[in-house]
Amino acid sequence: MNRRWQWLSAHLLALALLLLVAGCITIGQQFRPEAVELIKAGQTTDQDVLKLFGNPVRTGLAEDGAREWTYAHYKASAFGAFEGRDLVVKFNADGSVKSFSYHTTDPNESLVKAK
């Protein structure tokens, strides 16, 4: 009976750990939110953005035809916690930043606090 209990305990523990790990999901790649403040429309280039943030997780075209790069990092758990941030950078034809938008779920981040 003792051996059977050990086998059952080990399998239950493994199952609990598997459920705990499977209960979390991460999408995208982390990026430094403080680097967003370094982006200046008309001055920062696509090469500068690559140096600051690396390769985007998604690229595309905006409705006005401008190139757009998206950086995103989302993390969710089975227990209801959700964290996320994303940055969308829009470029002019010459490669300079046309505009950008940044969003986060963290209301305490200095970028989103009222100044």
Side-chain angles (χ1 to χ4, degrees), residues 19-111:
L19 289 173
L20 182 64
V21 170
C24 297
I25 186 167
T26 301
I27 298 171
Q29 60 190 29
Q30 289 190 0
F31 61 91
R32 296 177 340 178
E34 61 274 7
V36 173
E37 294 182 280
L38 300 175
I39 301 172
K40 305 292 181 225
Q43 296 176 14
T44 307
T45 67
D46 52 4
Q47 293 304 305
D48 296 330
V49 173
L50 275 174
K51 287 177 189 171
L52 287 169
F53 301 102
N55 291 322
V57 295
R58 199 172 69 169
T59 62
L61 295 175
E63 64 183 49
D64 64 358
R67 285 183 307 134
E68 261 185 359
W69 292 356
T70 302
Y71 295 87
H73 186 253
Y74 304 108
K75 188 173 165 183
S77 77
F79 306 107
F82 176 80
E83 299 171 16
R85 63 176 46 98
D86 54 66
L87 168 67
V88 178
V89 184
K90 199 174 186 179
F91 296 97
N92 292 309
D94 67 358
S96 64
V97 171
K98 183 175 188 171
S99 64
F100 65 94
S101 62
Y102 174 75
H103 303 93
T104 181
T105 58
D106 184 355
N108 296 315
E109 244 182 58
S110 63
L111 290 174

